[in-house]
Amino acid sequence: MTIAFTLINISYLPVAKTLADSFLAHNPDMLFYICLFDDKNDIQDPMFLEYNIYDKNNLNKEEYDSMRSRYDNFSMACALKPYFAEALIRDFNPENIVYLDA
């Protein structure tokens, strides 16, 4: 199994949705996760909940809180890539993992 993912904050959900739709149209046999470094319970439009949303609650809370207190949104998106990749590998054990920048 191959997992692809992107990493965003909640304001970039429309961009991630477009990326997910395009990716899955060409790779229907793969899984795509929108990794959200916000809480998915804060998503107000139910249209986005149709996607595989993997949020900050899947990360180590202490590490996340420490980073969040120091980094702006751009820096968080850069810094959290390996943490989300590690969590996806831990939880789903894929053979391959692909990161796509939204």
Side-chain angles (χ1 to χ4, degrees):
M1 161 182 53
T2 297
I3 290 178
F5 76 102
T6 194
L7 175 59
I8 57 153
N9 71 343
I10 207 161
S11 65
Y12 279 81
L13 273 171
V15 175
K17 176 194 176 306
T18 301
L19 176 61
D21 290 344
S22 177
F23 182 85
L24 292 170
H26 298 282
N27 301 281
D29 56 328
M30 295 176 136
L31 293 174
F32 191 92
Y33 282 87
I34 297 174
C35 295
L36 183 66
F37 63 87
D38 293 317
D39 192 323
K40 84 179 205 178
N41 292 326
D42 293 333
I43 296 173
Q44 297 193 2
D45 190 331
M47 165 182 61
F48 297 115
L49 297 175
E50 298 172 8
Y51 293 83
N52 292 326
I53 305 287
Y54 196 77
D55 73 359
K56 70 175 189 170
N57 295 312
N58 295 99
L59 303 176
N60 177 289
K61 182 176 175 14
E62 289 176 12
E63 287 177 341
Y64 174 86
D65 289 344
S66 173
M67 293 170 78
R68 194 65 181 135
S69 70
R70 296 186 318 244
Y71 297 152
D72 62 15
N73 284 340
F74 178 78
S75 298
M76 280 296 281
C78 294
L80 286 175
K81 290 173 193 171
Y83 292 90
F84 272 106
E86 180 180 57
L88 288 165
I89 291 167
R90 175 196 68 221
D91 290 348
F92 301 104
N93 195 29
E95 293 175 32
N96 303 294
I97 191 160
V98 176
Y99 171 76
L100 298 171
D101 194 350

XYZ file of all heavy atoms in Angstrom:
843
model
N 0.843 -1.178 0.000
C 0.000 0.000 0.000
C 0.888 1.240 0.000
O 1.893 1.300 0.683
C -0.902 -0.016 1.234
C -1.486 1.318 1.581
S -2.512 1.407 3.070
C -1.480 0.722 4.321
N 0.484 2.225 -0.773
C 1.159 3.514 -0.817
C 0.220 4.571 -0.275
O -0.959 4.602 -0.623
C 1.585 3.877 -2.254
O 2.519 2.903 -2.710
C 2.219 5.247 -2.311
N 0.757 5.426 0.572
C 0.010 6.555 1.113
C 0.667 7.832 0.610
O 1.888 7.979 0.677
C 0.017 6.551 2.651
C -0.835 5.411 3.191
C -0.479 7.881 3.199
C -0.836 5.319 4.702
N -0.145 8.747 0.128
C 0.313 10.088 -0.202
C -0.331 11.040 0.797
O -1.434 10.788 1.290
C -0.080 10.457 -1.619
N 0.385 12.120 1.112
C -0.191 13.089 2.037
C 0.299 14.488 1.726
O 1.306 14.689 1.065
C 0.111 12.720 3.496
C 1.515 12.999 3.979
C 1.782 14.112 4.771
C 2.561 12.137 3.692
C 3.065 14.357 5.232
C 3.842 12.366 4.161
C 4.100 13.493 4.933
N -0.466 15.441 2.195
C -0.069 16.834 2.189
C -0.289 17.362 3.593
O -0.995 16.744 4.396
C -0.851 17.653 1.138
O -0.206 18.904 0.946
C -2.309 17.835 1.517
N 0.310 18.485 3.887
C 0.259 19.051 5.234
C -0.142 20.517 5.138
O 0.502 21.298 4.437
C 1.634 18.910 5.890
C 1.842 19.543 7.246
C 0.867 18.985 8.260
C 3.267 19.317 7.704
N -1.212 20.860 5.850
C -1.755 22.218 5.760
C -2.324 22.661 7.103
O -2.489 21.852 8.012
C -2.891 22.275 4.711
C -3.986 21.263 5.071
C -2.372 22.050 3.314
C -5.348 21.604 4.587
N -2.668 23.963 7.176
C -3.519 24.417 8.268
C -4.930 24.566 7.695
O -5.140 24.419 6.493
C -2.982 25.683 8.929
C -3.109 26.913 8.060
O -3.309 26.834 6.857
N -2.973 28.067 8.662
N -5.872 24.830 8.550
C -7.288 24.768 8.169
C -7.642 25.748 7.045
O -8.515 25.461 6.222
C -8.185 24.964 9.419
C -9.521 24.289 9.213
C -8.298 26.405 9.823
C -10.280 24.030 10.493
N -6.953 26.873 6.946
C -7.286 27.849 5.905
C -6.910 27.360 4.502
O -7.392 27.906 3.509
C -6.609 29.193 6.193
O -5.214 29.078 6.128
N -6.084 26.321 4.402
C -5.683 25.777 3.103
C -6.488 24.542 2.694
O -6.139 23.875 1.722
C -4.189 25.430 3.117
C -3.316 26.627 2.885
C -3.018 27.501 3.913
C -2.799 26.894 1.626
C -2.228 28.611 3.712
C -2.001 27.994 1.404
C -1.714 28.861 2.453
O -0.932 29.949 2.237
N -7.569 24.244 3.391
C -8.379 23.080 3.035
C -8.852 23.077 1.582
O -8.796 22.028 0.933
C -9.572 22.937 3.984
C -9.297 22.153 5.260
C -10.481 22.269 6.215
C -8.999 20.703 4.957
N -9.289 24.195 1.016
C -9.694 24.155 -0.397
C -8.547 23.759 -1.334
O -8.758 23.032 -2.307
C -10.169 25.586 -0.671
C -10.593 26.105 0.667
C -9.619 25.492 1.639
N -7.343 24.201 -1.023
C -6.178 23.850 -1.846
C -5.881 22.357 -1.714
O -5.635 21.663 -2.700
C -4.955 24.695 -1.430
C -3.713 24.267 -2.188
C -5.228 26.178 -1.615
N -5.930 21.850 -0.484
C -5.673 20.424 -0.252
C -6.751 19.560 -0.892
O -6.456 18.481 -1.408
C -5.581 20.148 1.245
N -7.990 20.018 -0.883
C -9.084 19.287 -1.529
C -8.822 19.167 -3.029
O -8.973 18.093 -3.609
C -10.418 19.980 -1.279
C -11.593 19.341 -1.995
C -12.800 20.256 -1.984
C -13.958 19.706 -2.775
N -13.661 19.347 -4.157
N -8.403 20.258 -3.652
C -8.093 20.239 -5.078
C -6.943 19.282 -5.376
O -7.002 18.493 -6.336
C -7.746 21.663 -5.565
O -8.863 22.514 -5.299
C -7.434 21.679 -7.042
N -5.914 19.323 -4.553
C -4.785 18.412 -4.718
C -5.235 16.961 -4.559
O -4.884 16.094 -5.367
C -3.687 18.741 -3.709
C -2.481 17.805 -3.687
C -1.757 17.805 -5.028
C -1.535 18.197 -2.565
N -6.014 16.676 -3.528
C -6.494 15.309 -3.280
C -7.349 14.820 -4.445
O -7.174 13.685 -4.913
C -7.285 15.255 -1.972
N -8.255 15.655 -4.917
C -9.117 15.262 -6.037
C -8.295 14.934 -7.279
O -8.527 13.921 -7.947
C -10.119 16.371 -6.368
C -11.186 16.559 -5.303
O -11.359 15.659 -4.451
O -11.838 17.624 -5.318
N -7.326 15.780 -7.588
C -6.489 15.567 -8.757
C -5.629 14.307 -8.601
O -5.549 13.489 -9.516
C -5.596 16.786 -8.981
O -4.735 16.581 -10.068
N -5.015 14.171 -7.441
C -4.152 13.011 -7.204
C -4.943 11.710 -7.305
O -4.527 10.767 -7.970
C -3.485 13.121 -5.836
C -2.556 11.983 -5.547
C -1.252 12.005 -5.994
C -2.998 10.874 -4.833
C -0.390 10.941 -5.747
C -2.147 9.808 -4.571
C -0.849 9.843 -5.036
N -6.087 11.662 -6.652
C -6.887 10.431 -6.636
C -7.513 10.124 -7.997
O -7.741 8.956 -8.317
C -7.947 10.509 -5.542
C -7.371 10.478 -4.118
C -8.449 10.805 -3.091
C -6.716 9.138 -3.824
N -7.761 11.145 -8.809
C -8.273 10.898 -10.162
C -7.258 10.131 -11.000
O -7.632 9.336 -11.862
C -8.628 12.220 -10.837
N -5.987 10.350 -10.733
C -4.920 9.691 -11.494
C -4.301 8.504 -10.772
O -3.550 7.738 -11.375
C -3.831 10.708 -11.842
C -4.328 11.812 -12.717
N -4.527 11.652 -14.062
C -4.716 13.072 -12.410
C -4.997 12.785 -14.571
N -5.130 13.656 -13.592
N -4.610 8.365 -9.477
C -4.055 7.279 -8.657
C -5.153 6.692 -7.769
O -5.064 6.736 -6.540
C -2.910 7.805 -7.778
C -1.803 8.407 -8.585
O -0.976 7.693 -9.140
N -1.790 9.734 -8.673
N -6.201 6.138 -8.365
C -7.346 5.687 -7.567
C -7.033 4.531 -6.620
O -7.792 4.293 -5.676
C -8.370 5.274 -8.620
C -7.568 4.966 -9.833
C -6.379 5.887 -9.789
N -5.922 3.862 -6.821
C -5.569 2.728 -5.966
C -4.742 3.143 -4.753
O -4.382 2.301 -3.932
C -4.812 1.679 -6.776
C -3.583 2.244 -7.462
O -3.618 3.441 -7.840
O -2.601 1.504 -7.631
N -4.455 4.417 -4.623
C -3.656 4.901 -3.497
C -4.541 5.605 -2.471
O -5.643 6.053 -2.785
C -2.581 5.872 -3.980
C -1.542 5.240 -4.866
S -0.419 6.518 -5.455
C 1.120 5.703 -5.243
N -4.032 5.698 -1.266
C -4.697 6.463 -0.212
C -4.094 7.858 -0.156
O -2.892 8.022 -0.336
C -4.516 5.792 1.146
C -5.204 4.450 1.338
C -4.798 3.846 2.672
C -6.711 4.631 1.286
N -4.921 8.848 0.104
C -4.443 10.226 0.226
C -4.952 10.795 1.540
O -6.148 10.727 1.828
C -4.937 11.089 -0.937
C -4.267 12.429 -0.985
C -3.122 12.601 -1.738
C -4.757 13.498 -0.262
C -2.481 13.836 -1.771
C -4.131 14.727 -0.279
C -2.991 14.898 -1.043
N -4.039 11.357 2.317
C -4.388 11.963 3.594
C -4.089 13.448 3.571
O -3.026 13.866 3.106
C -3.620 11.315 4.752
C -4.208 9.985 5.138
C -3.822 8.819 4.493
C -5.188 9.897 6.116
C -4.391 7.603 4.817
C -5.755 8.682 6.438
C -5.349 7.546 5.795
O -5.925 6.344 6.107
N -5.037 14.211 4.056
C -4.813 15.628 4.305
C -4.430 15.732 5.774
O -5.261 15.507 6.661
C -6.074 16.461 3.997
C -6.429 16.362 2.516
C -5.866 17.908 4.435
C -7.746 17.022 2.127
N -3.169 16.019 6.015
C -2.684 16.176 7.381
C -2.879 17.632 7.777
O -2.408 18.545 7.110
C -1.220 15.766 7.478
S -0.967 14.012 7.160
N -3.571 17.800 8.859
C -4.013 19.118 9.297
C -3.351 19.437 10.623
O -3.540 18.707 11.601
C -5.541 19.077 9.441
C -6.273 20.335 9.815
C -6.158 21.376 8.713
C -7.744 20.002 10.069
N -2.573 20.515 10.662
C -1.961 20.826 11.946
C -2.840 21.737 12.793
O -2.383 22.473 13.656
C -0.513 21.325 11.813
C -0.299 22.605 11.071
C -0.370 23.828 11.717
C 0.036 22.591 9.740
C -0.123 25.004 11.049
C 0.294 23.752 9.057
C 0.210 24.965 9.708
N -4.124 21.623 12.557
C -5.170 22.181 13.410
C -6.029 20.996 13.852
O -5.719 19.852 13.539
C -6.023 23.189 12.634
C -5.250 24.448 12.254
O -4.506 24.961 13.106
O -5.396 24.912 11.108
N -7.112 21.275 14.532
C -8.016 20.220 14.990
C -9.128 20.039 13.966
O -9.790 21.002 13.585
C -8.608 20.622 16.338
C -9.334 19.498 17.033
O -10.004 18.690 16.353
O -9.240 19.425 18.268
N -9.334 18.804 13.508
C -10.355 18.584 12.480
C -11.759 18.894 12.990
O -12.660 19.144 12.195
C -10.261 17.183 11.887
C -10.924 16.083 12.592
C -10.706 14.800 11.811
C -11.762 13.794 12.053
N -11.573 12.577 11.266
N -11.961 18.949 14.291
C -13.261 19.338 14.844
C -13.586 20.803 14.570
O -14.727 21.222 14.729
C -13.308 19.063 16.348
C -13.281 17.583 16.644
O -13.826 16.777 15.896
N -12.617 17.199 17.713
N -12.583 21.581 14.157
C -12.797 22.989 13.831
C -13.191 23.206 12.369
O -13.456 24.329 11.963
C -11.537 23.804 14.140
C -11.244 23.853 15.630
O -12.194 23.735 16.436
O -10.061 23.999 15.996
N -13.255 22.145 11.589
C -13.676 22.260 10.188
C -15.169 22.552 10.158
O -15.961 21.807 10.719
C -13.363 20.967 9.401
C -11.846 20.744 9.349
C -13.956 21.035 7.993
C -11.451 19.409 8.739
N -15.539 23.647 9.503
C -16.939 24.053 9.501
C -17.717 23.570 8.293
O -18.929 23.407 8.372
C -17.022 25.569 9.624
C -16.428 26.024 10.942
C -16.752 27.450 11.264
O -17.462 28.127 10.528
N -16.241 27.917 12.373
N -17.047 23.345 7.183
C -17.739 22.895 5.978
C -17.684 21.370 5.911
O -16.610 20.799 5.758
C -17.098 23.507 4.740
C -17.918 23.279 3.481
O -18.639 22.269 3.403
O -17.813 24.121 2.561
N -18.818 20.682 6.011
C -18.812 19.222 6.019
C -18.280 18.596 4.733
O -17.896 17.431 4.722
C -20.277 18.846 6.244
C -21.065 20.055 5.924
C -20.170 21.236 6.126
N -18.201 19.375 3.654
C -17.661 18.859 2.399
C -16.238 18.321 2.607
O -15.859 17.320 2.018
C -17.642 19.973 1.351
C -16.801 19.682 0.134
S -16.762 21.043 -1.060
C -16.045 22.357 -0.100
N -15.467 18.970 3.465
C -14.079 18.557 3.678
C -13.970 17.290 4.512
O -12.949 16.613 4.476
C -13.276 19.685 4.320
C -13.187 20.905 3.449
C -13.774 22.092 3.843
C -12.530 20.862 2.226
C -13.698 23.219 3.044
C -12.453 21.983 1.416
C -13.045 23.170 1.831
N -14.999 16.960 5.239
C -14.958 15.777 6.105
C -15.095 14.481 5.318
O -14.936 13.401 5.874
C -16.027 15.880 7.188
C -15.834 17.058 8.153
C -17.011 17.136 9.123
C -14.517 16.974 8.885
N -15.368 14.593 4.004
C -15.428 13.409 3.143
C -14.030 12.877 2.832
O -13.886 11.791 2.291
C -16.141 13.752 1.831
C -17.572 14.201 2.022
C -18.180 14.721 0.728
O -17.548 14.598 -0.348
O -19.297 15.271 0.806
N -13.007 13.645 3.167
C -11.626 13.278 2.867
C -10.974 12.643 4.086
O -11.457 12.777 5.200
C -10.845 14.532 2.426
C -11.346 15.042 1.108
C -12.468 15.862 1.044
C -10.741 14.668 -0.078
C -12.961 16.301 -0.170
C -11.226 15.103 -1.298
C -12.338 15.922 -1.330
O -12.833 16.339 -2.535
N -9.867 11.940 3.849
C -9.106 11.376 4.955
C -8.337 12.510 5.627
O -7.305 12.948 5.134
C -8.110 10.318 4.450
C -8.799 9.096 3.919
O -9.837 8.687 4.403
N -8.212 8.497 2.892
N -8.884 12.991 6.727
C -8.243 14.067 7.481
C -7.516 13.437 8.667
O -8.103 12.690 9.452
C -9.274 15.091 8.004
C -10.134 15.662 6.874
C -8.571 16.178 8.803
C -9.445 16.625 5.960
N -6.261 13.749 8.761
C -5.394 13.221 9.820
C -4.846 14.448 10.529
O -4.075 15.209 9.949
C -4.298 12.395 9.146
C -3.524 11.471 10.018
C -4.053 10.265 10.448
C -2.221 11.781 10.383
C -3.315 9.397 11.220
C -1.480 10.926 11.159
C -2.025 9.736 11.570
O -1.274 8.877 12.346
N -5.278 14.687 11.759
C -4.997 15.982 12.365
C -3.946 15.933 13.471
O -3.354 14.894 13.752
C -6.277 16.648 12.836
C -6.895 16.038 14.075
O -6.354 15.052 14.624
O -7.935 16.543 14.519
N -3.743 17.084 14.083
C -2.710 17.247 15.114
C -2.884 16.283 16.279
O -1.924 15.990 16.982
C -2.704 18.677 15.631
C -3.933 19.015 16.470
C -3.849 20.391 17.055
C -4.982 20.590 18.051
N -4.825 21.804 18.805
N -4.088 15.771 16.475
C -4.341 14.858 17.591
C -3.668 13.497 17.404
O -3.648 12.691 18.327
C -5.850 14.699 17.807
C -6.471 16.012 18.235
O -5.983 16.684 19.129
N -7.523 16.404 17.552
N -3.108 13.255 16.222
C -2.363 12.024 15.972
C -0.878 12.170 16.294
O -0.115 11.227 16.135
C -2.528 11.584 14.514
C -3.952 11.221 14.204
O -4.698 12.019 13.652
N -4.346 10.029 14.560
N -0.494 13.361 16.735
C 0.896 13.638 17.072
C 1.081 13.656 18.583
O 0.117 13.776 19.332
C 1.316 14.988 16.483
C 1.162 15.155 14.973
C 1.517 16.580 14.572
C 2.021 14.145 14.231
N 2.336 13.623 19.009
C 2.655 13.750 20.433
C 2.265 15.157 20.878
O 2.780 16.153 20.357
C 4.151 13.502 20.630
C 4.567 13.691 22.065
O 4.605 14.808 22.567
N 4.897 12.591 22.713
N 1.356 15.247 21.837
C 0.800 16.531 22.261
C 1.868 17.484 22.799
O 1.880 18.668 22.470
C -0.300 16.320 23.295
C -0.946 17.621 23.743
C -2.075 17.396 24.688
C -2.699 18.631 25.272
N -2.437 19.904 24.713
N 2.779 16.985 23.617
C 3.799 17.861 24.196
C 4.728 18.430 23.126
O 5.053 19.618 23.145
C 4.601 17.106 25.253
C 3.813 16.815 26.508
C 4.607 15.986 27.511
O 5.835 15.834 27.342
O 3.986 15.506 28.470
N 5.156 17.578 22.190
C 6.015 18.054 21.106
C 5.272 19.069 20.240
O 5.818 20.115 19.878
C 6.483 16.892 20.227
C 7.515 16.014 20.863
C 7.897 14.836 19.979
O 7.133 14.481 19.053
O 8.974 14.278 20.220
N 4.020 18.751 19.909
C 3.226 19.649 19.077
C 3.055 21.004 19.776
O 3.282 22.050 19.166
C 1.856 19.044 18.754
C 0.975 20.014 18.023
C 1.042 20.124 16.638
C 0.118 20.876 18.710
C 0.266 21.043 15.955
C -0.655 21.801 18.034
C -0.581 21.885 16.670
O -1.343 22.814 16.004
N 2.643 20.987 21.028
C 2.401 22.239 21.756
C 3.670 23.080 21.849
O 3.616 24.307 21.729
C 1.844 21.952 23.154
C 0.416 21.445 23.127
O -0.265 21.580 22.088
O -0.027 20.896 24.159
N 4.790 22.427 22.062
C 6.063 23.147 22.133
C 6.377 23.834 20.804
O 6.772 25.005 20.772
C 7.182 22.183 22.519
O 8.432 22.821 22.430
N 6.177 23.111 19.708
C 6.445 23.686 18.390
C 5.456 24.805 18.068
O 5.829 25.845 17.527
C 6.389 22.597 17.319
C 7.510 21.583 17.445
S 7.281 20.152 16.373
C 7.788 20.847 14.810
N 4.197 24.585 18.396
C 3.157 25.568 18.067
C 3.400 26.889 18.775
O 3.086 27.961 18.245
C 1.775 25.011 18.429
C 0.639 25.800 17.813
C 0.706 25.660 16.307
N -0.335 26.399 15.647
C -0.124 27.170 14.578
N 1.059 27.312 14.077
N -1.107 27.806 14.012
N 3.961 26.829 19.954
C 4.221 28.062 20.707
C 5.383 28.861 20.109
O 5.514 30.052 20.385
C 4.497 27.745 22.177
O 5.745 27.086 22.322
N 6.217 28.223 19.286
C 7.401 28.896 18.736
C 7.291 29.232 17.250
O 7.963 30.136 16.778
C 8.630 27.999 18.920
C 8.985 27.735 20.351
C 10.287 26.965 20.454
N 10.387 25.903 19.461
C 10.454 24.609 19.737
N 10.434 24.209 20.975
N 10.554 23.709 18.779
N 6.471 28.493 16.489
C 6.483 28.613 15.030
C 5.228 29.270 14.487
O 4.126 29.061 15.003
C 6.593 27.231 14.387
C 7.853 26.470 14.697
C 7.846 25.086 14.699
C 9.063 27.096 14.976
C 8.995 24.349 14.962
C 10.214 26.372 15.246
C 10.172 25.009 15.233
O 11.309 24.295 15.491
N 5.402 30.024 13.405
C 4.251 30.531 12.668
C 3.724 29.408 11.763
O 4.290 28.316 11.728
C 4.618 31.782 11.860
C 5.687 31.533 10.795
O 5.979 30.368 10.457
O 6.232 32.534 10.291
N 2.651 29.672 11.019
C 2.028 28.624 10.211
C 2.969 28.055 9.155
O 3.010 26.844 8.945
C 0.750 29.132 9.545
C -0.396 29.219 10.513
O -0.390 28.589 11.563
N -1.389 30.016 10.176
N 3.722 28.915 8.472
C 4.640 28.418 7.447
C 5.699 27.507 8.064
O 5.979 26.422 7.547
C 5.303 29.581 6.697
C 6.294 29.104 5.679
C 5.861 28.597 4.455
C 7.654 29.143 5.941
C 6.775 28.139 3.515
C 8.571 28.689 5.008
C 8.138 28.182 3.796
N 6.274 27.940 9.171
C 7.303 27.137 9.841
C 6.736 25.827 10.363
O 7.404 24.796 10.323
C 7.941 27.933 10.977
O 8.574 29.085 10.469
N 5.499 25.866 10.845
C 4.860 24.628 11.319
C 4.703 23.643 10.166
O 4.976 22.454 10.313
C 3.474 24.914 11.919
C 3.487 25.440 13.321
S 4.160 24.305 14.545
C 2.782 23.214 14.808
N 4.261 24.129 9.025
C 4.078 23.250 7.873
C 5.396 22.599 7.466
O 5.424 21.431 7.086
C 3.476 24.025 6.705
N 6.469 23.335 7.568
C 7.787 22.774 7.231
C 8.255 21.789 8.305
O 8.735 20.698 7.986
C 8.809 23.894 7.084
S 8.494 24.987 5.690
N 8.115 22.172 9.553
C 8.660 21.374 10.658
C 7.900 20.080 10.912
O 8.490 19.098 11.376
C 8.685 22.219 11.930
N 6.614 20.051 10.626
C 5.799 18.885 10.982
C 5.791 17.771 9.943
O 5.254 16.691 10.204
C 4.360 19.323 11.275
C 4.165 20.050 12.602
C 2.723 20.540 12.721
C 4.513 19.163 13.779
N 6.370 17.976 8.778
C 6.356 16.937 7.736
C 6.870 15.595 8.250
O 6.192 14.574 8.082
C 7.149 17.386 6.514
C 6.492 18.488 5.744
C 7.404 19.006 4.648
C 6.866 20.302 4.099
N 7.821 20.943 3.199
N 8.045 15.551 8.876
C 8.512 14.235 9.331
C 7.672 13.648 10.461
O 7.535 12.426 10.563
C 9.957 14.487 9.782
C 10.052 15.941 10.015
C 9.049 16.595 9.102
N 7.070 14.498 11.279
C 6.231 14.002 12.376
C 4.956 13.354 11.840
O 4.530 12.300 12.328
C 5.885 15.139 13.353
C 7.081 15.637 14.121
C 7.875 16.672 13.632
C 7.430 15.057 15.334
C 8.977 17.123 14.329
C 8.528 15.501 16.050
C 9.301 16.532 15.542
O 10.399 16.971 16.236
N 4.338 13.999 10.842
C 3.142 13.394 10.251
C 3.501 12.140 9.462
O 2.775 11.154 9.497
C 2.384 14.399 9.379
C 1.383 15.217 10.146
C 1.632 16.541 10.449
C 0.191 14.656 10.571
C 0.711 17.305 11.162
C -0.743 15.391 11.287
C -0.482 16.724 11.580
N 4.618 12.169 8.744
C 5.041 10.972 8.004
C 5.263 9.816 8.971
O 4.805 8.689 8.718
C 6.310 11.259 7.205
N 5.931 10.087 10.074
C 6.182 9.045 11.067
C 4.873 8.500 11.652
O 4.711 7.286 11.818
C 7.061 9.600 12.189
C 7.391 8.595 13.266
C 8.257 9.193 14.342
O 7.855 10.211 14.950
O 9.346 8.635 14.581
N 3.922 9.380 11.929
C 2.639 8.952 12.485
C 1.849 8.112 11.476
O 1.239 7.103 11.842
C 1.819 10.163 12.924
N 1.859 8.511 10.211
C 1.170 7.722 9.177
C 1.810 6.346 9.024
O 1.109 5.337 8.891
C 1.178 8.467 7.841
C 0.274 9.695 7.757
C 0.636 10.548 6.548
C -1.187 9.288 7.703
N 3.127 6.297 9.062
C 3.823 5.007 8.976
C 3.486 4.151 10.189
O 3.192 2.960 10.059
C 5.347 5.226 8.839
C 5.660 5.834 7.463
C 6.109 3.922 9.052
C 7.074 6.380 7.327
N 3.489 4.758 11.352
C 3.160 4.036 12.593
C 1.737 3.468 12.549
O 1.501 2.313 12.895
C 3.309 4.992 13.785
C 2.885 4.407 15.128
C 2.671 5.476 16.192
N 1.504 6.289 15.853
C 1.440 7.607 15.999
N 2.456 8.291 16.457
N 0.324 8.248 15.681
N 0.791 4.271 12.096
C -0.614 3.876 12.158
C -1.076 3.001 10.992
O -2.031 2.241 11.138
C -1.507 5.118 12.240
C -1.379 5.843 13.578
O -0.791 5.270 14.524
O -1.842 6.992 13.666
N -0.420 3.100 9.831
C -0.907 2.387 8.648
C 0.104 1.434 8.024
O -0.258 0.655 7.156
C -1.406 3.388 7.599
C -2.511 4.260 8.117
C -2.265 5.579 8.475
C -3.788 3.761 8.288
C -3.280 6.393 8.965
C -4.814 4.559 8.785
C -4.549 5.879 9.124
N 1.359 1.516 8.405
C 2.409 0.621 7.922
C 2.425 0.489 6.392
O 2.400 -0.616 5.854
C 2.271 -0.757 8.580
C 3.512 -1.590 8.407
O 4.603 -1.065 8.307
N 3.327 -2.899 8.366
N 2.492 1.625 5.671
C 2.509 1.535 4.209
C 3.865 1.058 3.699
O 4.885 1.190 4.371
C 2.264 2.994 3.787
C 2.887 3.797 4.884
C 2.593 3.007 6.138
N 3.860 0.500 2.495
C 5.127 0.139 1.841
C 5.853 1.390 1.372
O 7.082 1.434 1.374
C 4.854 -0.781 0.649
C 4.319 -2.129 1.025
C 3.958 -2.956 -0.198
O 4.603 -2.808 -1.240
O 3.022 -3.775 -0.086
N 5.096 2.373 0.929
C 5.645 3.635 0.421
C 4.836 4.789 0.972
O 3.631 4.660 1.200
C 5.590 3.681 -1.108
C 6.316 2.533 -1.750
O 7.519 2.423 -1.650
N 5.565 1.666 -2.399
N 5.497 5.919 1.107
C 4.806 7.136 1.515
C 5.318 8.289 0.660
O 6.515 8.363 0.365
C 4.976 7.407 3.030
C 4.036 8.509 3.484
C 6.406 7.684 3.386
C 3.770 8.515 4.971
N 4.385 9.115 0.210
C 4.700 10.229 -0.697
C 4.171 11.508 -0.092
O 3.009 11.569 0.326
C 4.037 9.990 -2.081
C 4.272 11.176 -3.001
C 4.505 8.695 -2.706
N 5.017 12.531 -0.054
C 4.575 13.845 0.388
C 4.377 14.740 -0.832
O 5.243 14.814 -1.698
C 5.590 14.499 1.335
C 5.233 15.941 1.623
C 4.208 16.252 2.503
C 5.892 16.963 0.970
C 3.856 17.560 2.735
C 5.538 18.280 1.197
C 4.512 18.581 2.073
O 4.158 19.865 2.294
N 3.242 15.447 -0.894
C 2.967 16.408 -1.960
C 2.665 17.758 -1.320
O 1.820 17.853 -0.432
C 1.764 15.967 -2.805
C 1.948 14.639 -3.532
C 0.635 14.203 -4.140
C 3.010 14.774 -4.609
N 3.359 18.772 -1.779
C 3.165 20.118 -1.235
C 1.914 20.723 -1.866
O 1.820 20.818 -3.083
C 4.385 20.964 -1.525
C 4.430 22.240 -0.723
O 3.426 22.581 -0.062
O 5.472 22.910 -0.744
N 0.983 21.130 -1.025
C -0.260 21.735 -1.527
C 0.004 23.125 -2.032
O -0.753 23.699 -2.739
C -1.314 21.745 -0.429
